[in-house]
Amino acid sequence: GAVVSQHPSWVICKSGTSVKIECRSLDFQATTMFWYRQFPKQSLMLMATSNEGSKATYEQGVEKDKFLINHASLTLSTLTVTSAHPEDSSFYICSASQTREETQYFGPGTRLLVL
Amino acid sequence: EDQVTQSPEALRLQEGESSSLNCSYTVSGLRGLFWYRQDPGKGPEFLFTLYSAGEEKEKERLKATLTKKESFLHITAPKPEDSATYLCAYSGNTPLVFGKGTRLSVIA
């Protein structure tokens, strides 16, 4: 149980294009989903928290107009990186939990490379 | 300021050589202390949640314990497949805050 998937696992795009990453909870309903970013040999950095049917809460320093988050259902959240630039290249990981306070289960991650 | 510190940063063990990883925290209103395992290029895999001092949980060769100031992840007779980065995180008034992790290498 508690399986979270992400798609795609790898994406390479040109600078200036937008990229959408999907996060799905496969066997439970996720009231809350989280998006993280991880640089090589560093820990996870929380970007935003999203609750189903409401606007995401972004962490300080994260541009909400650049990283668009939609949590349209209890099993799906999407992260769209708009007008991606090389500095947006990173490993993006989502997690899901049944409530904000409960255990988070993580997806396998999406590696984004912007050329 | 709430924070979590993991030590050591890296640990190299021989197969069968037991050891412990440390996670110390300073946070008010701790709701839970979490341990995850992360393999290179993958998302973290949930291991344990601890909620109160004195609590212990075990899974195969791993045992997690919690005091009022720190948590330990004990690894008994590790095998090469236990090699990974082990992350601890706390939840308090904010969502999970992660430590920087301990990179464990187990040599056959």
Side-chain angles (χ1 to χ4, degrees), chain A residues 44-115:
Chain A
L44 284 76
M45 182 184 75
L46 180 65
M47 298 175 65
T49 303
S50 73
N51 292 295
E52 186 265 338
S54 61
K55 290 184 179 181
T57 303
Y58 290 82
E59 296 299 302
Q60 192 173 7
V62 177
E63 299 176 59
K64 61 181 181 181
D65 294 332
K66 181 168 188 61
F67 299 99
L68 301 179
I69 292 171
N70 184 282
H71 191 164
S73 76
L74 287 173
T75 59
L76 174 63
S77 176
T78 60
L79 168 68
T80 301
V81 184
T82 62
S83 186
H85 292 286
E87 58 264 31
D88 298 323
S89 299
S90 190
F91 190 49
Y92 292 87
I93 313 173
C94 73
S95 70
S97 67
Q98 292 184 307
T99 68
R100 182 181 175 278
E101 292 79 21
E102 291 187 23
T103 298
Q104 293 181 30
Y105 296 94
F106 286 82
T110 296
R111 190 161 300 282
L112 170 64
L113 177 60
V114 185
L115 302 177

Side-chain angles (χ1 to χ4, degrees), chain B residues 7 12 19 23 25 33 38 44 46 53 63 66 74 81 84-85 87 91 95 98 100:
Chain B
S7 62
R12 187 181 176 97
S19 187
C23 171
Y25 60 92
L33 191 292
Q38 187 175 25
F46 171 70
K63 178 180 177 180
L66 182 65
H74 307 278
E81 53 262 42
T85 295
L87 301 167
S91 67
F98 281 86
K100 294 184 178 180

Side-chain angles (χ1 to χ4, degrees), chain B residues 16-52:
Chain B
E17 180 186 2
S18 301
S19 187
S20 296
L21 313 182
N22 177 265
C23 171
S24 63
Y25 60 92
T26 55
V27 59
S28 55
L30 178 75
R31 293 181 184 272
L33 191 292
F34 300 80
W35 282 98
Y36 289 85
R37 167 191 171 132
Q38 187 175 25
D39 292 300
K42 296 186 178 180
E45 173 190 348
F46 171 70
L47 294 174
F48 305 108
T49 308
L50 303 167
Y51 293 103
S52 58

